[in-house]
Amino acid sequence: LVVRGEADSAWITHLEQWAAQYPAIQQVDTGQLRNSDQQRLQQASAQLRQSIVLFEQAEATPLGEEASILEVARVAQEIVIYARKLGLTPRIVVKGHTDSLGRFQDNLALSQERAQFVAQYLFNHGVEPQVVEARGMGSPATRESSPEERRFNRRVSFDVVVQENNDD
């Protein structure tokens, strides 16, 4: 039996269980079947990696970023849902950054506060705390030669790590 097209994880599992009940079906070839859960996980992960939350100078709370943080929380929830459907363990790393102004120790603390603020927002909007890690980077993410570049460095960015479950 050759199956082509697109289906979610639950349907694929059900197909394999169904086919096992019929001796005439000796093999199920799903090589040409795209897992829609895998595709959605990849899309959501790429979207989150491209997301940022901007901050004002020397501030640990964003100003005017409510919509972007809410969207980040929605995408983070999607990542958790699709990873779990695939039997994977998701990890969302919230990385706080600062501009190059100020002392390193102060910037390290500020970047951690920014990461913690966004992580807490994710928790408050349904993302499980054990999935999220907040990291203060303490330094600019990119080189700066203008006020606009410094403003861009005052941000939180995101990484997504998805691993096989180690429950066995």
Side-chain angles (χ1 to χ4, degrees):
L1 177 63
V2 177
V3 184
R4 295 184 180 107
E6 183 176 315
D8 66 16
S9 300
W11 189 89
I12 294 169
T13 300
H14 180 73
L15 168 69
E16 292 166 349
Q17 292 169 350
W18 174 83
Q21 297 175 12
Y22 296 91
I25 301 175
Q26 296 179 9
Q27 181 182 357
V28 177
D29 179 357
T30 58
Q32 296 178 43
L33 182 62
R34 289 183 311 276
N35 187 321
S36 60
D37 292 334
Q38 181 67 40
Q39 289 179 312
R40 289 183 180 120
L41 175 61
Q42 290 170 348
Q43 290 167 347
S45 296
Q47 183 179 353
L48 190 61
R49 286 184 184 109
Q50 293 172 0
S51 298
I52 61 170
V53 177
L54 296 174
F55 292 76
E56 292 299 323
Q57 187 173 352
E59 294 293 326
T61 56
L63 297 175
E65 291 284 314
E66 180 77 20
S68 66
I69 300 176
L70 196 54
E71 178 64 7
V72 162
R74 186 194 64 74
V75 173
Q77 287 173 333
E78 266 187 42
I79 289 168
V80 172
I81 289 167
Y82 290 116
R84 296 245 168 91
K85 281 185 173 186
L86 293 162
L88 303 172
T89 301
R91 186 122 194 103
I92 297 168
V93 182
V94 181
K95 300 185 305 184
H97 303 278
T98 63
D99 59 26
S100 60
L101 302 176
R103 294 184 10 219
F104 175 77
Q105 284 305 110
D106 295 337
N107 284 344
L108 182 60
L110 180 57
S111 65
Q112 183 65 39
E113 288 175 33
R114 288 174 175 169
Q116 274 304 133
F117 178 89
V118 173
Q120 186 63 51
Y121 192 93
L122 297 180
F123 306 153
N124 293 346
H125 287 83
V127 180
E128 302 161 16
Q130 65 269 25
V131 171
V132 179
E133 176 184 345
R135 286 187 195 163
M137 306 309 284
S139 59
T142 60
R143 292 189 161 208
E144 311 169 343
S145 59
S146 70
E148 293 79 24
E149 289 172 344
R150 273 193 293 283
R151 182 175 182 343
F152 183 71
N153 271 336
R154 294 189 298 265
R155 71 178 189 258
V156 164
S157 61
F158 304 89
D159 278 337
V160 178
V161 179
V162 181
Q163 300 174 322
E164 298 287 329
N165 283 333
N166 295 328
D167 294 340
D168 300 331

